[in-house]
């Protein structure tokens, strides 16, 4: 997303009070993740990106986890509790105090234009910043209300946008209140509404609840404002962008659409994906150029990838920094705190967690590197294990530059292997090893010449 400069101070109100009963979940709907971030987090990132100067988040009673997520994602957000869910206008009015402050501030600025306020739903995570900018533009062009609409493949259930011959918005009619003729309209309300009204609270307070659902409909603001001579406009966007998530199948659709977008963005930025539909990105995955990703790779949150990196098939990466020229996989796992310096190789069935690896170091096969550091040009053999956990605490393994850790060694932390040291294969290393030493921990090999031939002869005579 590219940052868009606000033209007038913008207040964003994000409605997140919905219980989301159709999710069948102990977790409130808006905390369910898309691409590794809660839907609420996506919407808060959007309002931050469009430069909202104030943000109010409306939650339901007892939704402390939603409150916490809101201020974690956006510390400047102010949270309001809507005590009873009496409709979308009632939800916005739960944030009355922030609207009042915003209106007063813009007035004090002698800005000359009414304060701008945008209402979004926290269960609608795919809206783009330039779409919000188009809504703001409609307000700048003189509309007092601008509604984000879309042409619905199946309009049933949505509020219909009723327009005049000149394209102006005359009213929003909820599905349950619409006449048969109005139901034929396929231009629908996404739920995103932007206002530039000198007295927004006055308009909201005038909304009643005499309708099929007995709710206070925010959408009624259109007719009330028009009766005051205000112009209302429609801004149209693609239906996919305003997908609202009510159940888990829609959550999966949102994820699919989000992934399609993110893959396209990555490829446009110089990433090769052999089978993009099998690569899963997080909201914050960052790539350099000339990264090649083979099929079936999953990026959890917090992964940064440098230039000219090859990620081979079937890797799982999370919280990892990957330097230029690194090769990973196939079947590698990078966990939080893995930091791979330039030209590091991490091969098949290798797991790295909270370990920094210096330039050109290699762990090519079957290893666990957890908690510690590996210097430059070190070689970690097949089957090497950092024994980092004693059942209570984690301890560090430190491996110096150019060290060579033989295959199937166990390094029992805390332990330090000096620069250039060798660890003989199969050793269980419990004491630190000085630079350039060889450490061996295994019994002396006992060889009995001719034993096998004699054994076979003896067994043969018996049978
Ligand atoms: C709403 C719109 C409709 C639009 C549709 C798009 C109204 C009256 N109708 O209808 O025109 O086509 O969204 O999806 O606005 N909420 C609260 N508190 C409440 C009621 C709702 O916070 O008291 C929140 C919900 O959590 C949800 C959003 O507002 O995120 C929409 O509410 P919902 O009841 O689902 O409205 P719809 O009937 O879908
Ligand atoms: Ca809805």
């Amino acid at each position: 997303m590219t940052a868009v400069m606000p033209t007038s101070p913008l207040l964003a109100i994000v409605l997140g009070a919905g219980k989301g009963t159709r999710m069948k979940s102990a977790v409130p709907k808006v905390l369910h993740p898309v691409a590794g971030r809660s839907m609420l987090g996506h919407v808060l990132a959007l309002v931050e990106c469009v430069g909202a100067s104030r943000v109010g988040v409306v939650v339901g009673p007892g939704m402390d986890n939603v409150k916490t997520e809101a201020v974690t994602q956006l510390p400047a957000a102010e949270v309001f509790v809507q005590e009873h869910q009496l409709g979308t206008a009632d939800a916005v009015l739960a944030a009355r105090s922030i609207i009042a402050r915003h209106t007063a501030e813009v007035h004090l600025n002698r800005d000359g234009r009414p304060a701008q306020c945008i209402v979004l739903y926290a269960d609608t995570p795919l809206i783009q910043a330039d779409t919000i900018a188009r809504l703001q533009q409609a307000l700048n062009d003189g509309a007092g209300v601008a509604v984000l609409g879309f042409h619905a493949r199946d309009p049933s259930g949505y509020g219909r946008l009723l327009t005049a011959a000149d394209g102006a918005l005359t009213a929003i009619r909820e599905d349950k209140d619409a006449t048969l003729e109005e139901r034929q309209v396929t231009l629908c309300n996404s739920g995103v509404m932007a206002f530039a009204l000198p007295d927004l609270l006055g308009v909201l307070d005038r909304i009643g609840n005499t309708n099929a659902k007995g709710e206070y409909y925010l959408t009624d603001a259109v007719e009330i404002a028009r009766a005051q001579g205000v112009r209302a406009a429609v801004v149209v966007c693609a239906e996919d962008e305003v997908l609202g998530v009510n159940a888990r199948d829609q959550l999966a659709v949102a994820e699919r659409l989000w992934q399609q977008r993110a893959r396209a963005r990555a490829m446009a930025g110089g990433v090769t994906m052999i089978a993009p539909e099998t690569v899963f990105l997080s909201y914050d995955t960052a790539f350099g150029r000339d990264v090649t990703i083979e099929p079936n790779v999953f990026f959890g949150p917090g992964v940064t990838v440098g230039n000219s990196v090859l990620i081979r098939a079937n890797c799982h990466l999370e919280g990892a920094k990957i330097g230029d020229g690194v090769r990973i996989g196939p079947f590698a796992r990078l966990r939080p705190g893995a930091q791979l310096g330039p030209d590091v190789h991490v091969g098949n069935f290798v797991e790295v967690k909270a370990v920094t690896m210096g330039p050109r170091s290699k762990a090519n096969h079957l290893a666990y590197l957890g908690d510690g550091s590996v210097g430059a040009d070190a070689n970690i053999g097949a089957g090497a294990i950092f024994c980092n956990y004693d059942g209570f605490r984690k301890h560090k393994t430190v491996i110096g530059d150019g060290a060579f850790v033989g295959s199937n060694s166990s390094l029992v932390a805390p332990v330090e292997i000096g620069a250039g040291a060798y660890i003989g294969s199969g050793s269980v290393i419990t004491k630190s090893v000085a630079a350039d030493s060889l450490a061996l921990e295994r019994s002396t090999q006992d060889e009995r010449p001719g034993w096998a031939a004699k054994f076979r002869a003896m067994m043969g005579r018996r049978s």
Side-chain angles (χ1 to χ4, degrees), residues 15-19 29 58 82 84-88 90-91 121-123 157-160 172 174 188-191 213 215-219 246:
L15 305 189
K19 286 199 187 70
K29 175 167 80 171
V58 178
Q82 184 193 16
H84 305 284
Q85 293 201 17
L86 303 178
T88 45
D90 178 67
Y121 300 164
D123 63 2
Y158 289 114
R160 307 300 204 282
I172 306 178
E174 290 307 299
C188 291
N189 175 23
S190 69
K213 282 169 104 180
E215 286 188 1
Y216 296 88
Y217 290 164
L218 180 62
T219 45
N246 299 314

Side-chain angles (χ1 to χ4, degrees), residues 225-267:
R226 273 180 59 88
Q228 300 177 352
V230 167
R231 190 160 67 78
V234 180
V235 169
V236 177
C237 74
E239 181 167 12
D240 282 352
E241 208 180 319
V242 288
L243 170 79
V245 173
N246 299 314
R248 307 236 190 188
D249 55 343
Q250 290 163 330
L251 184 66
V253 174
E255 181 77 39
R256 177 165 55 77
L257 293 168
W258 196 96
Q259 292 294 341
Q260 280 169 359
R261 246 193 226 168
R263 291 166 189 142
R265 207 183 312 127
M267 291 187 280

Side-chain angles (χ1 to χ4, degrees), residues 177-240:
D177 303 295
T179 62
L180 270 178
E181 196 187 333
E182 287 167 342
R183 283 201 187 132
Q184 303 309 307
V185 173
T186 59
L187 182 61
C188 291
N189 175 23
S190 69
V192 181
M193 295 179 71
F195 302 94
L197 299 172
D199 183 20
L200 174 58
L201 282 174
V203 170
L204 295 178
D205 280 330
R206 218 158 296 149
I207 293 173
N209 66 346
T210 46
N211 51 53
K213 282 169 104 180
E215 286 188 1
Y216 296 88
Y217 290 164
L218 180 62
T219 45
D220 286 350
V222 171
E223 280 167 290
I224 294 169
R226 273 180 59 88
Q228 300 177 352
V230 167
R231 190 160 67 78
V234 180
V235 169
V236 177
C237 74
E239 181 167 12
D240 282 352

Side-chain angles (χ1 to χ4, degrees), residues 270-343:
V271 173
T272 293
M273 295 186 187
I274 293 170
E277 67 283 6
T278 69
V279 174
F280 294 85
L281 306 172
S282 269
Y283 69 97
D284 60 350
T285 311
F287 294 108
R289 287 202 177 180
D290 293 310
V291 173
T292 298
I293 307 173
E294 291 183 357
N296 300 320
V297 175
F298 186 95
F299 292 85
V303 179
T304 309
V305 183
N307 297 314
S308 305
V309 169
L310 172 62
I311 302 172
R312 301 189 65 190
N314 300 301
C315 289
H316 191 286
L317 319 172
E318 185 182 1
K321 281 205 168 61
I322 299 166
D324 294 346
V326 166
R327 299 168 69 113
I328 304 166
F331 294 98
R333 178 165 186 209
L334 300 185
R335 291 173 51 204
Q339 296 199 33
L340 311 187
D343 303 308

Side-chain angles (χ1 to χ4, degrees), residues 345-361:
H345 291 187
V346 169
N348 38 272
F349 306 105
V350 173
E351 175 178 343
V352 181
K353 186 221 52 171
V355 165
T356 303
M357 292 179 75
R360 298 170 301 279
S361 281

